[in-house]
Amino acid sequence: MKELITHLKKAFQESFHQEPLIVRSPGRVNIIGEHTDYNEGFVLPAAIDKAAYIALSLRSDNEIHLKAMDLNESFSISIGDLKPIHNISWPNYMLGAVAQFVKQGIKIPGFNALLSSDVPIGAGLSSSAAVECATVFALNELLKTNIDRITMVKMAQKAEHEYAGVMCGIMDQFASMMGRKDQVIKLDCRSLEYEYVPFKLEGIKVLLLNTNVKHSLASSAYNTRRKECETAVEWVREHVPGVHSLRDVTEEMLDQFVFLRDELIDKRSRFIVQEIQRLHGGCKNLQDGDLKSLGEKMFATHRGLSQMYEVSCKELDWLVEQVSDNKHVIGARMMGGGFGGCTINLVKDEEVEELVATLIPAYEKEMNLPLTYYIASIENGTEIIE
């Protein structure tokens, strides 16, 4: 990290001839609780040691000058012309963040920003949320607007909605901004109440296995799943007043009002109802130090995502299957929206190397794709580096 920051600072000084503020904002993993966020359920994310780094300084001419160091690309726009850009995507995460200040009537005199990130893109680790949070946090600091962290989370989420065009839940930005070292966040996606749950993994590593695939189904299926969940809620609400989301629904209600009407809608919504219960149980397992039970729930989540919610793919299923009988793997599942990205695995320290050495050639042979991996540690959320 030190090397990256030194390089970032030097590159910023050479480009803009100013001293920058440097902010780090991390990617995230989610231990359990998938697709529950937009159903007003609970999630259990944590910030990781892979992060977006932004060096930023203010200007006085109402111009925004952005550089993406890793892509060797630049982009400029004046504050008065602020709008989503259609031919390149990376500036939108930063411009969307700027737009949230402008909407609040906060004057921005223009700024220079240099971005670098070691959050792998397309791996389901929320690289976009990291950039949005870093930008909001850095501007809040330099403009001295004293906005609290929860409001900044909402601003970063709005940036994703309005400028990247992705109607994401709040988990990614929340984990990036609010993370705490060696702790996961039990977040209520309805009320935004949250608590930290200790996640000290003695002798266990968080291993992320990247399928290096993103099937084109992902965004259309996401919207379809949301609609399917909403349909189940409407059907239950016809009989049970006060039901706002699948958060309020029980399996008994599904038995009565959904299953007989449409088995597919039942299957989708039942996964969510079960997943919310699994998350509560998983938090208790962590508090009791019972990682074995947590791991079993992770495997159960994967089966549900694959067979009931149907957002997995052959590459993800293959990776989970390969470790399901391995006594050194405590738990594993696909993570994120689905149809590609990573599996998250809790693996005994001393077995990680051998596991990876076995899986890489086997995956390559089976899928004709490279398998890459990351070992993630649980770190603090968005913070000033210097």
Side-chain angles (χ1 to χ4, degrees):
M1 180 170 104
K2 250 190 180 136
E3 207 173 286
L4 189 151
I5 290 160
T6 305
H7 184 42
L8 184 70
K9 190 174 181 178
K10 187 166 180 283
F12 187 92
Q13 288 163 335
E14 284 169 5
S15 293
F16 301 116
H17 312 293
Q18 286 178 305
E19 285 298 313
L21 170 78
I22 299 178
V23 168
R24 167 196 165 278
S25 196
R28 64 101 189 98
V29 291
N30 186 28
I31 307 306
I32 201 162
E34 211 63 80
H35 289 273
T36 49
D37 56 349
Y38 55 83
N39 287 292
E40 295 191 338
F42 292 79
V43 287
L44 197 65
I48 57 171
D49 55 338
K50 305 273 181 278
Y53 298 85
I54 282 186
L56 203 140
S57 69
L58 295 178
R59 300 172 65 98
S60 56
D61 57 4
N62 290 327
E63 287 193 6
I64 298 171
H65 289 244
L66 308 176
K67 282 193 170 187
M69 197 161 78
D70 313 323
L71 303 172
N72 198 22
E73 288 180 9
S74 300
F75 179 83
S76 300
I77 195 168
S78 82
I79 298 281
D81 297 331
L82 201 60
K83 62 180 184 298
I85 310 304
H86 296 298
N87 53 343
I88 43 171
S89 61
W90 66 266
N92 284 326
Y93 305 123
M94 303 168 82
L95 298 178
V98 176
Q100 305 314 309
F101 287 89
V102 173
K103 273 164 71 174
Q104 290 181 43
I106 295 163
K107 182 165 168 41
I108 296 182
F111 63 90
N112 302 313
L114 181 61
L115 167 68
S116 182
S117 176
D118 59 8
V119 185
I121 291 170
L125 303 177
S126 295
S127 52
S128 58
V131 175
E132 290 148 3
C133 288
T135 308
V136 170
F137 197 90
L139 285 172
N140 179 57
E141 186 66 24
L142 287 177
L143 296 167
K144 299 185 168 37
T145 38
N146 296 320
I147 297 168
D148 64 274
R149 279 184 184 253
I150 300 287
T151 305
M152 286 194 275
V153 167
K154 293 175 183 172
M155 289 166 73
Q157 183 196 23
K158 278 270 194 285
E160 183 97 17
H161 289 182
E162 294 169 9
Y163 273 63
V166 178
M167 296 307 289
C168 61
I170 202 151
M171 171 177 72
D172 297 349
Q173 291 81 5
F174 201 99
S176 187
M177 184 72 73
M178 306 295 290
R180 194 179 279 179
K181 189 174 173 60
D182 293 334
Q183 311 217 29
V184 290
I185 309 167
K186 184 185 183 184
L187 171 64
D188 179 335
C189 294
R190 173 180 284 169
S191 67
L192 293 194
E193 288 174 6
Y194 63 99
E195 61 179 291
Y196 291 99
V197 181
F199 194 66
K200 279 203 180 293
L201 301 177
E202 300 300 332
I204 290 167
K205 288 264 194 291
V206 178
L207 172 68
L208 306 171
L209 297 170
N210 189 356
T211 59
N212 284 301
V213 71
K214 194 71 184 166
H215 294 289
S216 56
L217 278 165
S219 52
S220 61
Y222 178 84
N223 293 332
T224 307
R225 294 299 176 277
R226 285 191 78 139
K227 187 79 198 100
E228 288 163 343
C229 291
E230 285 160 12
T231 301
V233 171
E234 281 166 27
W235 291 352
V236 173
R237 197 190 291 129
E238 287 168 11
H239 305 273
V240 185
V243 166
H244 299 289
S245 65
L246 285 176
R247 156 77 168 275
D248 306 315
V249 172
T250 63
E251 287 200 69
E252 291 72 30
M253 291 176 194
L254 296 177
D255 293 341
Q256 280 181 277
F257 311 123
V258 179
F259 177 68
L260 297 173
R261 231 167 133 168
D262 189 306
E263 285 188 33
L264 181 71
I265 299 288
D266 176 75
K267 198 163 62 163
R268 301 289 193 252
S269 50
R270 195 172 293 270
F271 165 74
I272 298 295
V273 172
Q274 290 176 352
E275 182 72 347
I276 291 169
Q277 290 312 309
R278 263 194 294 272
L279 184 138
H280 290 307
C283 287
K284 185 172 186 327
N285 296 154
L286 278 174
Q287 280 154 345
D288 295 344
D290 181 2
L291 288 180
K292 184 174 178 293
S293 296
L294 174 69
E296 286 164 3
K297 288 180 177 67
M298 289 171 71
F299 281 120
T301 288
H302 185 80
R303 285 192 297 275
L305 286 163
S306 179
Q307 294 159 25
M308 295 170 75
Y309 217 59
E310 295 183 89
V311 291
S312 189
C313 59
K314 65 177 184 181
E315 296 87 354
L316 289 164
D317 287 345
W318 188 90
L319 284 173
V320 173
E321 205 175 293
Q322 294 305 300
V323 300
S324 60
D325 292 328
N326 187 323
K327 65 179 189 291
H328 305 301
V329 178
I330 317 299
R333 66 175 191 85
M334 62 153 275
M335 187 180 71
F339 305 105
C342 284
T343 63
I344 178 170
N345 306 261
L346 302 184
V347 186
K348 289 179 184 166
D349 258 4
E350 66 279 6
E351 302 298 330
V352 170
E353 254 173 68
E354 193 181 325
L355 178 65
V356 166
T358 308
L359 284 175
I360 286 175
Y363 180 81
E364 207 158 300
K365 187 178 173 205
E366 189 71 24
M367 300 298 166
N368 207 20
L369 282 166
L371 179 69
T372 45
Y373 71 96
Y374 319 97
I375 293 165
S377 61
I378 307 305
E379 297 295 339
N380 286 328
T382 312
E383 58 192 355
I384 293 167
I385 299 292
E386 58 176 62

